[in-house]
Amino acid sequence: MKTKEPIEEIAVKTWFKAAPTEKFPKNAGACIKYKDQQIAVFNFTRENKWYACQNLCPHKMEMVLSRGMIGEENGEPKVACPLHKNTFSLKTGESLTGACDAITTFPVKIEAGFVWVGFTE
Amino acid sequence: MKTIVVVGNGMVGYKFCEKFVAQANKENYRLVVFGEEPRVAYDRVHLSEFFENGDAERLSLAPRSWYDENGIELHIHERVTEIQRANKKITTSLGTSYSYDTLVMATGSAPFVPPIRGVEKKGVFVYRTIEDLEETLAYAETVKGGKAAILGGGLLGLEAAKAVMDMGLEPHVVEFAPKLMPRQLDTRSSKVLQVKLESMGINVHLSKATNQILGNGCITGMEFGEDDILDVDMLVVSAGIRPRDELGKSCGLEMGTRGGIVVNDQMRTSDPHILAIGEVALYNQMIYGLVAPGYEMAQVAVDQILGVSDTRMAAEIDMSTKLKLIGVDVASFGTPFMPPEKGHSIIFENKTESLYKRINVTHDGKKLLGGILVGDAADYNMLLQLYQNEMPLPENPEDLILGSRGGGPSSFGSAMDLPDTAVVCSCEAVTKGDICCAVLDDGNESVKAVSKATKATTGCGGCKPMVVDLVTESLKSLGKTVKVQLCEHFEYSRQELFDIVKLKDIQDYDELLDLVGKGHGCEVCKPAVAAIFASIYNETANKQPAIQDTNDRYLANIQRNGTYSVVPRVAGGEITPKQLMAMGRIAQKYDLYTKITGGQRIDMFGAQLHELPLIWEELIAEGFETGQAYGKSLRTVKSCVGSTWCRYGMDESVSFAVEIEHRYKGIRSPHKFKGGVSGCIRECAEARCKDFGFIAVEGGWNVYVAGNGGANPKHAELLAEKVDKETAIKYIDRYIMYYIKTAQPLTRTAAWLEKLEGGITYLQNVVINDSLGIAAALDAEMQALVDSYKCEWKEAIETPEIRERYSHFVNSDDTDESIEFVSLREQKMPKEWA
Ligand SMILES: Cc1cc2nc3c(=O)[nH]c(=O)nc-3n(C[C@H](O)[C@H](O)[C@H](O)COP(=O)(O)OP(=O)(O)OC[C@H]3O[C@@H](n4cnc5c(N)ncnc54)[C@H](O)[C@@H]3O)c2cc1C
Ligand code: SF4
Ligand code: SF4
Ligand code: FES
């Protein structure tokens, strides 16, 4: 099991203006495209927070995480892959079901009604 | 600081590490482990699962990081090649040397390959490691549809036979002895098992000595005697195991005459600094080819090294076993065969049902000595406990296998009657006392918490039913009702939540969570609650998309590469040529892979998210409606052509199937459910493998409930006989509604009925005799669901906000370029990931 350090906001070089907030379903995810990357963005309305992570599920390498259900386990926000329900922390990217590599998470900010996702390059 | 070197990172070697780090003070010891295989220790017992899911990591007993976290120096893919006892050193295949204070040999065993002429040919395999299985699988691909032999009809051989059958080959078990599983079964039970296996498609050849493997380079057959030849394309040898004792031999440890490193009851070899555990250790002149004794040896070794010297290996080792995975129950325990002077046997055999049960009891009928179960081993755990704890038997010991006649309570009593010392989980040596204490004294209140605290059920899992009973009963004794809790967010069972939603008229997930739950929900409670809303209000999945499983959220079935499949309803399997052509045209236009499903309809695969509304727009224009193949709801009602065309038909099965499929379509339930209608008892529609089924007979319809195919096939039970159509529908209405209201999430009707106290008789009373006085309510609720049906795809394509959900990116109109297809028999299929 590999773990990855979540990208800190200070390390962000580029803030990418993704889409207006109303494009994102409540308490669920949607996928955005940044250059060649697919990023899953989650509007966790119940927590009043936004999260972003890679769209690729490391289990079987499918581009599906944005279509997964979100929720929380002992307070840790998580996403469940729609294919086999492996779960990942939305904060740290760590695999909560244990069997997978960690996923990369990205910082998100909301400004002027838009969702911005931060990248290090 | 003392150095402990462990040779072998297999199941027992790993268990040694786990127990060692749990007990030892890290400061005082350095633990170095060598494993020859290229991966960390994995669960060999469930090896066959690897090829079901292809996921080697899932089998790992602990991830690599666990070893680091516990300060264990793990060297995998590095074999120990030499032991120098004089200066207490070992050398490895990388040429490095290490000193040890104590050496633990856990090198396990290797499959025994008899020296038959030609065994070196291509296509001959063994079955022990993940690599073995990978090689076998790769070869099986090249001879798919051919025949494969398994040399050896023991426990492992039969498991291997099932595996090669699942690989798409015709399995032939070749056994030297005149019976199957010669160590565990007597001749009669072997016969029963043989008939059962053959009916499943596993061929059995007994009393066969293989002289030669035929073939030029690759195996093409096996020769038993002159003119006695079996043509095969592959062979898996499973003829027993030989301990990997080569290191012990070369460094001069005391060995058994037929191999194995001799150990005493402290697991010490003839060199007091060297211990041996697991399948390499010869204890009481025996090699034990099972994990449970290996784990016990690991515990003894840990205690001995840490100076707890009174932990010793038991003198008698229990070799009771239950065959797993293969689809037929087989178990044997204690002394399966018994000389008549020791006691007498009670044998029950039912050849038509492939059932055989034998118990051996003492002459006075007071104690159980052993037994054999074939066909139904549900009582194995309980019988094993009676035997192991020498518990007194009921007055008529035959009740143990026949059930007490006259409909009284089961003759076993409850798991709570066991003595506290009874070992319930033999893999982890957890006693009944441990489990009850975990509940009564340590305050664990769920099976999950108890298994975390005690490790029970984490091995082979065979003890789970008993652990569940013990936890439930212990909680009851504390005066706590046992919460079958949905998840950490709702302290209610599904049935309770159903009532809450209905009573308080709650319409929205967040509202329910705020009112009676806590936290923010998860992937367990969200879809379960969604199903409850659907069952009560018949609302479609479009209303609260965020709490639906992905299939419901997008009204399509997600497939391996993240694309979806589309299944329009074809009620009763009846379809016009015009509809067929329309479907063909649409499938061709969107380049979809098409296949006929098991439920008599057509599945179109490979649609990308953004294509779904386009495809459905065209299907709906042609008069199709959604088939709800994505939902936990009615799938199909399968039918035969019945009296309309068939010369045997007693009634119109298709018309009935079409009517009933339209009646229940779209209704959401705890799990998917299926129906079937056959025109006569020849049962071509397989109605008795369905959640509900009707079979036309002289004088009406026979009504069946709670059958299913799938992973645990079960035949349906007869609910009512020779009733007219209206009555048949009324009974099934009530039955389905009652199931919807009371079942746990993801429980099929068969499992639900099994749990229902009183079983089919109770259900008959509720549904037919209205014993609960709820029949009228059930009727009304069902009618309300039937009346409020909506095609959710029609709703989706007509509503712009819903349509908008079907784009891969929210910030771009691009489609997902990572999806790639390759061609397969003139159609397309997902590309494998490199
Ligand atoms: C398909 C299958 C199904 C089974 N089903 C059951 C079951 O249902 N119930 C049951 O109780 N048991 C079952 N077993 C048996 C069970 O798997 C074994 O009893 C158990 O694995 C024994 O553990 P072990 O550690 O002694 O040996 P192993 O698990 O074989 O581990 C030994 C390890 O040591 C390594 N090794 C050997 N020599 C060296 C060396 N010189 N240097 C470094 N490493 C070395 C080997 O490569 C191996 O990885 C099954 C076995 C198989 C193959
Ligand atoms: S079940 Fe009976 S009526 Fe239906 S097709 Fe078979 S033989 Fe004919
Ligand atoms: S369709 Fe069913 S049986 Fe076939 S692979 Fe998928 S889950 Fe297994
Ligand atoms: S692909 Fe994500 S859990 Fe399997």
Side-chain angles (χ1 to χ4, degrees):
Chain A
M1 225 186 329
K2 276 183 265 164
T3 50
K4 289 183 187 164
E5 287 298 309
I7 298 176
E8 292 289 335
E9 262 190 54
I10 5 171
V12 169
K13 286 229 182 78
T14 322
W15 280 104
F16 173 62
K17 185 176 180 184
T21 50
E22 67 270 12
K23 282 266 191 182
F24 296 84
K26 292 201 169 123
N27 288 313
C31 185
I32 62 157
K33 189 169 183 172
Y34 169 66
K35 295 187 179 164
D36 280 340
Q37 294 189 55
Q38 298 195 13
I39 310 293
V41 175
F42 299 97
N43 177 5
F44 206 141
T45 332
R46 279 195 70 93
E47 269 195 344
N48 206 8
K49 288 224 176 73
W50 291 74
Y51 298 98
C53 67
Q54 67 189 58
N55 195 30
L56 184 79
C57 176
H59 175 224
K60 292 283 167 178
M61 304 295 170
E62 307 287 9
M63 285 290 185
V64 290
L65 288 181
S66 61
R67 287 177 253 164
M69 243 180 269
I70 57 171
E72 146 272 327
E73 183 173 329
N74 299 320
E76 186 83 4
K78 62 174 179 176
V79 55
C81 174
L83 281 174
H84 311 95
K85 295 263 169 91
N86 278 309
T87 55
F88 304 89
S89 161
L90 287 172
K91 268 199 189 140
T92 64
E94 186 198 345
S95 156
L96 300 175
T97 22
C100 298
D101 286 347
I103 55 173
T104 308
T105 55
F106 303 90
V108 185
K109 65 176 183 185
I110 307 298
E111 256 174 45
F114 269 78
V115 175
W116 301 71
V117 180
F119 295 92
T120 45
E121 84 274 5
Chain B
M1 180 80 123
K2 289 234 165 20
T3 303
I4 319 281
V5 169
V6 181
V7 190
N9 185 226
M11 295 192 74
V12 175
Y14 164 76
K15 187 54 66 177
F16 175 86
C17 294
E18 183 191 291
K19 291 186 186 287
F20 193 84
V21 295
Q23 277 174 252
N25 183 345
K26 260 191 205 153
E27 253 82 285
N28 302 339
Y29 297 95
R30 172 174 170 225
L31 190 55
V32 188
V33 180
F34 295 91
E36 170 198 48
E37 291 188 64
R39 53 188 96 237
V40 294
Y42 53 88
D43 183 356
R44 208 178 297 290
V45 169
H46 292 102
L47 185 65
S48 300
E49 278 171 26
F50 164 69
F51 109 92
E52 278 169 27
N53 53 32
D55 193 346
E57 249 172 70
R58 266 198 194 195
L59 284 185
S60 293
L61 293 168
R64 216 197 139 129
S65 53
W66 176 86
Y67 294 87
D68 301 340
E69 283 154 22
N70 287 286
I72 301 172
E73 292 169 41
L74 174 65
H75 303 262
I76 49 175
H77 221 161
E78 187 169 352
R79 188 162 50 92
V80 174
T81 50
E82 200 195 340
I83 302 174
Q84 292 158 279
R85 287 165 50 198
N87 49 10
K88 299 218 264 176
K89 266 195 171 146
I90 55 123
T91 312
T92 74
S93 49
L94 299 181
T96 331
S97 291
Y98 296 81
S99 296
Y100 64 83
D101 294 294
T102 306
L103 186 68
V104 179
M105 303 287 294
T107 48
S109 66
F112 168 61
V113 180
I116 301 169
R117 198 144 42 101
V119 279
E120 71 294 340
K121 290 200 181 3
K122 275 205 197 113
V124 180
F125 299 96
V126 293
Y127 198 69
R128 173 110 195 149
T129 65
I130 289 186
E131 284 68 31
D132 292 338
L133 196 50
E134 277 173 345
E135 283 171 24
T136 314
L137 266 169
Y139 194 85
E141 270 305 304
T142 66
V143 293
K144 226 176 185 149
K147 287 187 192 171
I150 293 85
L151 191 65
L155 206 75
L156 286 185
L158 294 183
E159 201 181 306
K162 172 71 168 36
V164 301
M165 183 161 81
D166 294 343
M167 289 176 199
L169 294 164
E170 181 185 307
H172 290 261
V173 174
V174 176
E175 168 60 51
F176 177 72
K179 58 182 183 178
L180 287 165
M181 297 178 63
R183 280 183 185 212
Q184 289 92 4
L185 299 186
D186 55 14
T187 312
R188 278 172 76 180
S189 52
S190 160
K191 285 219 173 87
V192 172
L193 178 61
Q194 181 176 354
V195 171
K196 178 75 193 171
L197 290 176
E198 285 173 344
S199 77
M200 291 164 50
I202 298 178
N203 304 285
V204 177
H205 309 262
L206 298 174
S207 307
K208 294 277 184 210
T210 312
N211 289 338
Q212 192 181 339
I213 310 278
L214 306 170
N216 185 3
C218 296
I219 178 172
T220 56
M222 296 163 74
E223 186 191 279
F224 306 121
E226 237 178 287
D227 296 332
D228 188 2
I229 286 176
L230 178 68
D231 291 331
V232 293
D233 307 292
M234 193 174 97
L235 172 65
V236 178
V237 178
S238 175
I241 53 171
R242 287 290 175 273
R244 294 277 308 265
D245 55 9
E246 59 273 8
L247 281 173
K249 207 179 290 172
S250 59
C251 75
L253 293 177
E254 188 191 340
M255 309 289 286
T257 34
R258 286 168 52 217
I261 302 176
V262 175
V263 293
N264 61 14
D265 63 358
Q266 306 170 24
M267 295 299 113
R268 291 189 199 275
T269 66
S270 54
D271 178 336
H273 302 292
I274 305 185
L275 285 76
I277 55 179
E279 287 186 344
V280 71
L282 187 74
Y283 175 64
N284 277 349
Q285 293 165 29
M286 275 268 289
I287 295 287
Y288 301 89
L290 295 173
V291 278
Y295 282 5
E296 206 176 324
M297 291 177 178
Q299 182 66 56
V300 174
V302 167
D303 283 349
Q304 288 295 336
I305 293 173
L306 296 177
V308 191
S309 54
D310 50 353
T311 316
R312 300 290 169 100
M313 196 67 190
E316 280 214 17
I317 291 187
D318 184 34
M319 291 294 282
S320 305
T321 33
K322 193 168 160 195
L323 192 61
K324 59 185 190 297
L325 292 173
I326 169 145
V328 41
D329 280 359
V330 182
S332 91
F333 61 96
T335 319
F337 335 110
M338 196 185 41
E341 64 277 10
K342 278 181 72 187
H344 63 267
S345 303
I346 303 169
I347 295 179
F348 167 76
E349 181 174 345
N350 180 338
K351 283 210 175 88
T352 45
E353 301 256 303
S354 293
L355 272 182
Y356 179 89
K357 297 183 179 186
R358 164 178 179 164
I359 49 172
N360 304 322
V361 296
T362 47
H363 283 299
D364 58 10
K366 294 240 163 77
K367 297 241 158 20
L368 189 58
L369 300 170
I372 299 172
L373 303 169
V374 173
D376 171 13
D379 297 333
Y380 169 70
N381 277 329
M382 219 44 207
L383 288 169
L384 184 62
Q385 293 298 343
L386 289 178
Y387 155 70
Q388 284 177 338
N389 300 295
E390 302 190 356
M391 293 166 71
L393 300 185
E395 200 179 332
N396 304 313
E398 64 269 29
D399 289 353
L400 289 175
I401 50 174
L402 297 177
S404 81
R405 281 136 302 163
S410 129
S411 23
F412 287 120
S414 118
M416 291 305 267
D417 299 342
L418 295 171
D420 278 347
T421 50
V423 176
V424 172
C425 169
S426 53
C427 296
E428 294 287 342
V430 186
T431 61
K432 177 209 162 198
D434 296 338
I435 292 169
C436 295
C437 272
V439 178
L440 302 175
D441 302 343
D442 305 340
N444 293 295
E445 296 199 349
S446 68
V447 175
K448 203 168 158 195
V450 169
S451 71
K452 206 163 179 184
T454 62
K455 289 201 156 257
T457 75
T458 57
C460 72
C463 58
K464 182 116 189 231
M466 201 167 252
V467 174
V468 172
D469 283 353
L470 288 172
V471 172
T472 316
E473 290 300 320
S474 308
L475 280 173
K476 264 192 201 155
S477 75
L478 287 178
K480 299 203 174 167
T481 35
V482 196
K483 283 273 174 207
V484 208
Q485 198 173 324
L486 202 56
C487 67
E488 62 173 274
H489 305 107
F490 288 102
E491 285 183 354
Y492 295 98
S493 68
R494 180 181 182 277
Q495 185 176 352
E496 287 166 325
L497 271 185
F498 191 102
D499 293 338
I500 292 173
V501 170
K502 185 144 196 197
L503 232 62
K504 306 204 170 187
D505 191 29
I506 297 170
Q507 310 265 351
D508 173 85
Y509 174 79
D510 284 318
E511 189 187 338
L512 182 70
L513 191 55
D514 292 337
L515 208 62
V516 300
K518 57 168 189 266
H520 300 309
C522 68
E523 74 282 0
V524 174
C525 56
K526 285 181 175 182
V529 170
I532 291 176
F533 286 134
S535 299
I536 294 178
Y537 308 118
N538 216 10
E539 74 180 35
T540 67
N542 295 327
K543 196 173 153 219
Q544 301 186 59
I547 58 168
Q548 310 289 343
D549 262 320
T550 193
N551 285 356
D552 270 315
R553 180 167 167 199
Y554 295 107
L555 307 176
N557 294 51
I558 197 165
Q559 303 295 339
R560 239 184 50 203
N561 62 350
T563 62
Y564 288 88
S565 75
V566 171
V567 193
R569 185 163 302 290
V570 177
E574 187 181 68
I575 186 163
T576 64
K578 184 167 164 280
Q579 283 178 311
L580 268 177
M581 282 189 282
M583 220 186 261
R585 178 183 61 72
I586 296 166
Q588 198 165 36
K589 176 166 169 192
Y590 292 93
D591 189 20
L592 303 174
Y593 168 95
T594 52
K595 186 173 185 309
I596 310 288
T597 72
Q600 301 187 330
R601 47 190 187 176
I602 296 166
D603 205 338
M604 305 188 269
F605 292 82
Q608 297 196 27
L609 194 59
H610 67 278
E611 294 176 321
L612 289 172
L614 305 173
I615 295 171
W616 273 106
E617 205 159 38
E618 298 203 30
L619 285 168
I620 287 171
E622 292 286 356
F624 286 103
E625 60 179 349
T626 177
Q628 270 103 7
Y630 42 80
K632 302 283 173 250
S633 58
L634 176 74
R635 291 292 158 87
T636 66
V637 180
K638 190 171 175 176
S639 69
C640 72
V641 288
S643 61
T644 331
W645 291 93
C646 176
R647 63 203 158 112
Y648 298 112
M650 310 282 298
D651 209 329
E652 276 186 76
S653 41
V654 185
S655 308
F656 195 4
V658 172
E659 176 181 345
I660 204 79
E661 182 160 341
H662 283 304
R663 183 169 180 80
Y664 298 143
K665 67 186 176 190
I667 293 177
R668 292 299 204 272
S669 46
H671 208 309
K672 64 182 175 191
F673 66 107
K674 305 179 180 182
V677 187
S678 278
C680 80
I681 45 133
R682 286 170 190 76
E683 245 286 71
C684 297
E686 296 164 341
R688 284 165 68 216
C689 300
K690 307 291 182 209
D691 299 273
F692 65 87
F694 305 106
I695 299 175
V697 290
E698 193 69 61
W701 294 92
N702 280 359
V703 182
Y704 291 88
V705 291
N708 61 226
N712 293 305
K714 188 157 180 307
H715 263 152
E717 302 204 44
L718 185 65
L719 181 77
E721 258 180 307
K722 292 186 195 169
V723 293
D724 61 23
K725 202 165 92 181
E726 287 62 42
T727 314
I729 295 178
K730 189 160 75 193
Y731 290 166
I732 294 299
D733 274 3
R734 292 174 184 168
Y735 150 72
I736 292 175
M737 205 59 225
Y738 189 50
Y739 160 67
I740 289 178
K741 295 179 76 162
T742 57
Q744 286 298 314
L746 300 184
T747 309
R748 288 288 296 266
T749 54
W752 166 77
L753 185 60
E754 222 156 74
K755 288 259 159 63
L756 196 67
E757 237 165 273
I760 184 77
T761 324
Y762 182 80
L763 184 67
Q764 281 165 333
N765 275 327
V766 174
V767 164
I768 302 174
N769 308 326
D770 194 11
S771 59
L772 298 181
I774 55 171
L778 294 176
D779 290 345
E781 283 163 327
M782 178 55 89
Q783 197 55 47
L785 290 184
V786 172
D787 292 340
S788 58
Y789 170 79
K790 256 199 278 219
C791 170
E792 45 217 2
W793 259 113
K794 191 154 183 294
E795 177 181 54
I797 59 167
E798 285 170 357
T799 318
E801 302 85 78
I802 301 180
R803 266 188 100 131
E804 220 173 84
R805 294 175 195 158
Y806 292 88
S807 61
H808 190 78
F809 298 110
V810 287
N811 65 335
S812 153
D813 288 336
D814 290 354
T815 56
D816 182 4
E817 280 158 14
S818 70
I819 299 179
E820 279 183 77
F821 292 102
V822 293
S823 79
L824 168 79
R825 291 183 295 278
E826 296 177 40
Q827 297 202 59
K828 67 174 184 186
M829 63 171 256
K831 186 171 175 202
E832 296 274 353
W833 264 76

